[in-house]
Amino acid sequence: MTEIRTPRLLLRRWTDDDLAAMAEINSDPQVMRWIGDGSVRDLDETAEDIERWEEEWDEEGFGLFAVELLASGELIGVAGLSVPEYLPEVLPDVEISWRLGAQFWGQGYASEAAHAVLEFALQDRGLERVVAVNRVGNDESENVIGKLDMVLDRETKHPVYGFALNIHTIDLTEYEA
Ligand SMILES: CC(C)(COP(=O)(O)OP(=O)(O)OC[C@H]1O[C@@H](n2cnc3c(N)ncnc32)[C@H](O)[C@@H]1OP(=O)(O)O)[C@@H](O)C(=O)NCCC(=O)NCCS
């Protein structure tokens, strides 16, 4: 079972027990504002997400981790790797992304998880490069990207929704945690 421990977090595979907490996070418009078309996701949609994330783990050997607080065991969100099929122009690059419940913002958890994910991408999966795709205007996410030393490669448009996206990359062969 793939698990990563950081000073404050456990990154792990998903279980059925995560559904309610993840659905709560996905139901918050503030959290979902910059994701997909900005719609919130209900319990059934969240169950489909978790199923898809677990399938990706099985098929690719990487995926989006459930992020848990070590101190309390609470699920605080999701961070990890995925194949960005919605944006064919960046394939075959793998995408790093993150999403935390709003009450867990501003404590450095997203950056802590993201650093661990980059290390996993390189050490465990042997990926030499990952991308971060961010909607222009999502400054909180851009801040995390900056702390990972990812560099802006180019701006593009979402193929379905048309809004502006920034594509950042990192050469993991140069990465130091
Ligand atoms: C994007 C998102 C994950 C960022 O979360 P975040 O909590 O702001 O990010 P960080 O983990 O970097 O923490 C930020 C702040 O915590 C503060 N902080 C408090 N305690 C800290 C600690 N012990 N260590 C580090 N930082 C700490 C820092 O001041 C930091 O701000 P700074 O970088 O300006 O100094 C969050 O806003 C989110 O979930 N948004 C909705 C989903 C989304 O848009 N995802 C991206 C699209 S995929």
Side-chain angles (χ1 to χ4, degrees):
M1 182 141 175
T2 308
E3 284 192 355
I4 305 175
R5 273 165 200 268
T6 69
R8 297 179 296 170
L9 305 172
L10 173 65
L11 278 61
R12 56 162 177 78
R13 296 277 297 259
W14 295 86
T15 74
D16 291 345
D17 292 343
D18 296 319
L19 176 57
M22 193 62 223
E24 178 82 29
I25 294 168
N26 277 347
S27 72
D28 182 348
Q30 204 187 346
V31 171
M32 299 306 288
R33 178 173 173 207
W34 302 104
I35 295 172
D37 67 354
S39 310
V40 296
R41 298 182 70 72
D42 67 16
L43 193 73
D44 288 345
E45 290 167 322
T46 303
E48 285 165 20
D49 287 343
I50 292 177
E51 199 176 316
R52 202 179 58 251
W53 298 339
E54 275 297 303
E55 271 170 24
E56 188 152 32
W57 272 108
D58 293 339
E59 284 164 17
E60 304 287 350
F62 59 73
L64 290 162
F65 291 95
V67 181
E68 181 181 308
L69 269 191
L70 277 175
S72 63
E74 275 170 290
L75 182 85
I76 65 166
V78 47
L81 302 171
S82 57
V83 177
E85 275 160 10
Y86 67 95
L87 194 59
E89 69 177 83
V90 299
L91 296 173
D93 282 340
V94 171
E95 178 183 10
I96 184 169
S97 64
W98 35 74
R99 182 189 320 171
L100 301 185
Q103 71 270 40
F104 303 107
W105 297 358
Q107 297 171 72
Y109 294 140
S111 303
E112 188 168 319
H115 274 112
V117 170
L118 286 185
E119 209 170 318
F120 168 80
L122 175 67
Q123 304 290 352
D124 205 286
R125 295 290 91 208
L127 300 179
E128 296 195 341
R129 183 182 139 97
V130 298
V131 298
V133 182
N134 197 40
R135 249 182 94 175
V136 173
N138 186 355
D139 296 336
E140 291 81 9
S141 190
E142 199 85 26
N143 184 35
V144 177
I145 290 168
K147 283 187 279 182
L148 298 175
D149 292 328
M150 300 190 79
V151 294
L152 180 63
D153 185 57
R154 64 187 186 279
E155 188 176 310
T156 190
K157 279 197 187 324
H158 192 291
V160 176
Y161 306 120
F163 42 62
L165 300 171
N166 277 334
I167 301 175
H168 300 79
T169 64
I170 184 167
D171 175 358
L172 288 175
T173 60
E174 313 247 312
Y175 175 71
E176 284 176 41

